[in-house]
Amino acid sequence: EAGVTQSPTHLIKTRGQQATLRCSPISGHTSVYWYQQALGLGLQFLLWYDEGEERNRGNFPPRFSGRQFPNYSSELNVNALELEDSALYLCASAGSAYNEQFFGPGTRLTVL
Amino acid sequence: QKEVEQNSGPLSVPEGAIASLNCTYSDRVSQSFFWYRQYSGKSPELIMSIYSNGDKEDGRFTAQLNKASQYVSLLIRDSQPSDSATYLCAVREGSSASKIIFGSGTRLSIRP
């Protein structure tokens, strides 16, 4: 069974640009979670999508947004990139909100 | 602000010994607890889930939960060099089915 996949693996942008990160959940999973892990820091919850709807978001500014598609894959958009947005962005999927979360390999975003 | 606290380490344990990792949490109504292992530069990997007070064993790993003390631990028996990683304690908020709060992790080093 294929795990959570994310693309791209690495992404380099300049300050002020927009970044789009993609995630495909494990087959049969309907919940997708996004986390940010800055270097040397813990995982910070960004967004949760389930059945195509945004269910919860963490303490991040509105320039962090996303969506979930009918096939349950998800996209994270970061607008007006700032240097401090440089981090590993992790996507996790779960069979439902009450189930365990399984992580993808992450997208390393570097903002220059 | 609900919190999950872990000693950042590094915790150095000789090969073959028992490694003990500890975690405390602030949300009294939390019901779900997880341990993830994260190798440097990689994404977190779920190794244990525990939902009831007491011990849960899986191979060389034992998770222990004490809800009254708001304390969860992970024991690794017969520690191997491949166990060297950062271990993340994660707690699902009691009031929100979706949100999991991660501790900042304990770095474990197994010395030969």
Side-chain angles (χ1 to χ4, degrees):
Chain A
E1 178 183 289
V4 178
T5 60
Q6 292 186 244
S7 64
T9 303
H10 295 91
L11 189 57
I12 299 175
K13 295 284 186 179
T14 57
R15 197 168 50 183
Q17 287 188 313
Q18 178 197 33
T20 298
L21 289 65
R22 296 180 176 83
C23 171
S24 291
I26 292 170
S27 178
H29 285 190
T30 61
S31 281
V32 171
Y33 304 79
W34 287 95
Y35 294 87
Q36 181 196 66
Q37 188 175 37
L39 192 63
L41 298 179
L43 271 73
Q44 301 297 316
F45 170 72
L46 267 166
L47 289 159
W48 170 45
Y49 292 95
D50 185 59
E51 298 285 356
E53 300 284 333
E54 181 181 306
R55 303 296 184 180
N56 203 348
R57 67 178 292 129
N59 190 24
F60 281 84
R63 58 191 185 83
F64 287 84
S65 65
R67 54 180 170 166
Q68 186 177 34
F69 299 99
N71 66 353
Y72 304 113
S73 67
S74 178
E75 191 174 90
L76 174 68
N77 294 293
V78 188
N79 294 320
L81 284 165
E82 300 178 2
L83 297 178
E84 52 265 35
D85 296 333
S86 295
L88 180 66
Y89 288 83
L90 292 159
C91 170
S93 77
S96 75
Y98 296 93
N99 287 8
E100 300 155 333
Q101 295 182 13
F102 297 91
F103 284 86
T107 293
R108 174 76 60 186
L109 173 64
T110 301
V111 182
L112 302 176
Chain B
Q1 176 77 2
K2 293 163 185 171
E3 295 180 339
V4 177
E5 300 285 344
Q6 295 182 256
N7 188 320
S8 63
L11 175 64
S12 181
V13 172
E15 185 175 354
I18 295 175
S20 178
L21 305 164
N22 304 315
C23 172
T24 58
Y25 59 94
S26 63
D27 186 357
R28 289 188 166 275
V29 298
S30 294
Q31 297 295 323
S32 305
F33 307 86
F34 311 93
W35 283 99
Y36 287 82
R37 177 176 62 198
Q38 187 173 25
Y39 292 113
S40 181
K42 302 295 185 181
S43 63
E45 173 192 9
L46 179 66
I47 53 174
M48 290 287 285
S49 308
I50 187 165
Y51 305 97
S52 305
N53 278 330
D55 295 359
K56 179 182 177 183
E57 186 175 319
D58 183 0
R60 296 187 296 112
F61 298 97
T62 298
Q64 300 174 316
L65 175 61
N66 184 326
K67 292 183 182 178
S69 300
Q70 296 175 237
Y71 177 90
V72 59
S73 65
L74 179 71
L75 301 178
I76 306 174
R77 290 182 300 281
D78 189 23
S79 296
Q80 302 297 310
S82 59
D83 295 326
S84 297
T86 295
Y87 289 80
L88 304 174
C89 174
V91 178
R92 189 188 304 281
E93 283 189 339
S95 60
S96 166
S98 66
K99 195 170 178 181
I100 289 181
I101 309 296
F102 284 82
S104 57
T106 297
R107 282 187 297 135
L108 175 64
S109 175
I110 307 300
R111 59 182 189 270

